[in-house]
Amino acid sequence: MTLAQQLWEQHRDLADACLLHPFVQGLGDGSLSQARYRYYIAQDAFYLEAFARAYTLAGAKAPDWEGFRELHALAGGVLHELTLHTSVAAELGIDLRAVQVGNATRRYTDFLLATAWGQSTGTTAVAMAPCMRLYAYIGQQLAQLAQSIPSTQPTRSSHAYSAWIATYNSPEFEALAQQLEQLIERYAPAAVALDQTYRYAMQCEYDFFQAAWEQGA
Amino acid sequence: MSFHQELLTAVAPLWQRKLAHPFLTAVADGSIADATFKTWIAQDYLFVEGSVPFLGLLTAKAPVALRPALGGSITAFNTELGLFEQQMAAHEVTLTREYSPTCHAYLQFLLATAYDRPFEIGFTVLYAAEKAYFDAWERVRTTQTDASKWQAFINNWASDAFRGYVDWLAGTLDELAADATPPMRAEMHSYFRYTTLYEYRFWEMAYTTETWDSPLLLAMPTNAGA
């Protein structure tokens, strides 16, 4: 079992709590209110900017050129994701420049940036992996759920958040998550408390959904 | 009005709420539970220890003229850790490596700010934290009825030396603000308010014995006036 798999399995409790969170379930069955989704999209756009910068910082610190190139490409993946957010925000009439950053969002980006600036490439990869693996997991699980719902209406499985699910259920996104996890195998330092770093990021993920649930209510 | 007064005025309700926190009131009237105060000691030790790299990063970004004073504050923090260790031994407080969620998040905020933002912003955060400490312990000192079991901590911050240091921070911050652009000053306001929230939250963390199952920082008021 790889280190990334071990970490995932060890903290699966929090990942499943995220999947079962009413916000995520609401994305899955399309019942999530637009107010909550709007809050989430605006906060996530702010978050993704920090996420892209963390990749770039980790890339600049990579011990070899190959690592730099891969982290640079991963940052490109985030920029693509941000483009999607920008168009969703435009459709919803959200001005991303005027967003007030929430405490849960801020706490997560502070952690990412402090880690990326202060720690090694490997530790930063560990801090970032929960986000990627969790979203791939959520995307895949929600897509399966949508398929398994027996329905008399052919459009039943398609709803306001189907595009969101499709993004994170895509093979392209899974490939990005795997690429980041391979960087953990290559660069994760031994004898560092990686376990706590991974769990903290996962806890931040849960709180991010919880904040969107509460703030968008 | 000077810039540092402007900052304090902008967050006045929250600042007052912080000074009136039951943790501080209980220290002043002697009713604070040992376990509560010991939770605070253990977490504040971790916080002071974790703030040293923050000061180091600030010093590295500081204008030459400010480096000696900021370098001196690193020494002061290390001396403060000595006070903690002595008090921890005297009161049988065990050193923990378990960060409370608020302590951990606050430290990440300090480091992210020092690394990621301009010097002026990091300096604003330093002023906010130190001013919060001076005001809090000075409030305890001026309202306490009897000598406290924890007098060494009260006297450490409610002191002329610490007051002088905080005044220096305020004066220097005013000078930095005078040269800052309007967007920079706006960001200084925003970071001052956010630091004040963490200071409030730190007392709350100790008073309620926050755990990782607590609703974390979501419970923080988002509006400074709230």
Side-chain angles (χ1 to χ4, degrees), chain A residues 13-215:
Chain A
D13 58 326
L14 275 176
D16 282 323
C18 289
L19 178 64
L20 295 175
H21 194 282
F23 182 94
V24 175
Q25 289 295 305
L27 280 173
D29 63 18
S31 66
L32 185 71
S33 74
Q34 203 194 67
R36 286 178 165 136
Y37 188 62
R38 286 171 64 95
Y39 180 86
Y40 166 82
I41 285 292
Q43 298 298 314
D44 205 41
F46 179 87
Y47 168 81
L48 285 176
E49 287 183 8
F51 202 74
R53 296 182 62 222
Y55 268 143
T56 307
L57 289 163
K61 287 185 176 185
D64 50 51
W65 185 247
E66 189 52 30
F68 170 79
R69 277 184 17 172
E70 287 182 36
L71 283 153
H72 184 73
L74 284 164
V78 183
L79 292 183
H80 174 68
E81 207 177 330
L82 257 176
T83 313
L84 298 176
H85 274 59
T86 309
S87 60
V88 170
E91 281 169 32
L92 296 172
I94 304 168
D95 178 3
L96 290 178
R97 292 293 121 201
V99 169
Q100 196 191 351
V101 183
N103 293 330
T105 310
R106 191 52 188 278
R107 168 168 160 255
Y108 200 173
T109 58
D110 281 342
F111 163 69
L112 279 181
L113 291 172
T115 304
W117 277 103
Q119 307 293 321
S120 68
T121 299
T123 301
T124 303
V126 169
M128 299 179 76
C131 174
M132 295 299 285
R133 177 47 60 205
L134 177 70
Y135 272 63
Y137 178 65
I138 287 175
Q140 291 160 19
Q141 293 291 314
L142 294 184
Q144 274 181 25
L145 191 75
Q147 278 176 357
S148 68
I149 295 173
S151 171
T152 50
Q153 295 172 328
T155 56
R156 177 64 186 83
S157 62
S158 174
H159 55 65
Y161 309 118
S162 296
W164 188 94
I165 296 170
T167 299
Y168 298 108
N169 180 42
S170 69
E172 292 81 10
F173 193 82
E174 170 63 28
L176 291 173
Q178 285 183 16
Q179 198 180 357
L180 175 56
E181 287 171 339
Q182 281 159 15
L183 291 170
I184 292 181
E185 300 312 309
R186 253 157 57 201
Y187 299 126
V192 172
L194 299 174
D195 185 50
Q196 287 175 18
T197 301
Y198 196 91
R199 189 166 185 88
Y200 190 73
M202 198 63 95
Q203 180 72 52
C204 287
E205 286 292 338
Y206 181 86
D207 292 340
F208 200 92
F209 290 129
Q210 180 64 23
W213 185 253
E214 288 175 13
Q215 299 294 319

Side-chain angles (χ1 to χ4, degrees), chain A residues 100 103, chain B residues 10-11 13-14 17 193 197 220-226:
Chain A
Q100 196 191 351
N103 293 330
Chain B
V11 302
L14 180 65
R17 189 170 146 188
R193 187 180 64 238
L197 285 170
M220 287 210 307
T222 50
N223 185 326

